Amino acid sequence: MLSVPDQFSIGSTPIIPSTVLAPMAGVTDTVFRRLIRQQGGCGLIMTEFTSSHGVVASLRRKKPSKTEKRYLVFEPEEHPISAQLFGADPAVLADAARHCEDLGFDFVDINFGCPVKKVVNCNGGSGCLRDMPLVDRLLKAVRSSIKIPLTMKFRTGWNERELVYRTMGQLAEDNG
């Protein structure tokens, strides 16, 4: 029987215990994340998935927007913490990731898994799984824009007949 290791690392950051709190829309705000962290059962916590366009719009206003205040605020005791972003524009996603790094996040995670219609219709979340060249461009743009580790969440495929998990894994490896 396989056992779960006590810890793992992302880059040089140890994740102890080796569990990750899934980013859940409408649930994983800073209060919930701190509650989970205080329980001692989660080594890595993530923000709710956040629109890269919303983050970049906040930057253009030169003051924190509702998006930033709601999704990208965290307390020191939440480290290690990852900002999860979604989007389909490489430049916008890269700018949003850079901003998350500047805010002090330990990692950036790209959401290629959300199946919600309004996200998919914008080619975000799992909608990106229909376009592997776009995924590659997104990963290249974000990876080159940040120094902190980059991870990604994805589904096995767009549907049962269009499985892309091997390609996604290879793209992740190829893009560091």
Side-chain angles (χ1 to χ4, degrees), residues 112 135-136 139-140 143 150-152 154 164-176:
F112 292 120
V135 169
D136 189 43
L139 291 173
K140 279 180 178 21
R143 179 69 274 156
L150 172 63
T151 61
M152 62 187 206
F154 61 93
V164 295
Y165 62 93
R166 286 192 174 123
T167 303
M168 291 292 287
Q170 189 63 57
L171 287 171
E173 184 176 343
D174 293 348
N175 286 290

Side-chain angles (χ1 to χ4, degrees), residues 132-149:
M132 292 295 102
L134 172 61
V135 169
D136 189 43
R137 289 192 308 276
L138 291 167
L139 291 173
K140 279 180 178 21
V142 174
R143 179 69 274 156
S144 67
S145 72
I146 58 174
K147 294 176 182 66
I148 59 176

Side-chain angles (χ1 to χ4, degrees), residues 3 33 43 49 52 57 66 84 87 92 102 111 118 157 166 175:
S3 64
R33 294 189 309 256
F49 81 130
S52 56
K66 185 174 97 174
Q84 190 183 78
V92 171
D102 292 344
N111 182 312
K118 70 179 183 177
R166 286 192 174 123
N175 286 290

Side-chain angles (χ1 to χ4, degrees), residues 51-78:
S51 163
S52 56
H53 285 279
V55 173
V56 170
S58 176
L59 292 173
R60 291 184 183 134
R61 284 188 207 99
K62 301 198 188 303
K63 66 178 189 172
S65 68
K66 185 174 97 174
T67 296
E68 188 168 331
K69 289 177 186 174
R70 178 172 176 190
Y71 299 113
L72 299 180
V73 169
F74 63 94
E75 298 296 328
E77 64 266 25
E78 294 182 66

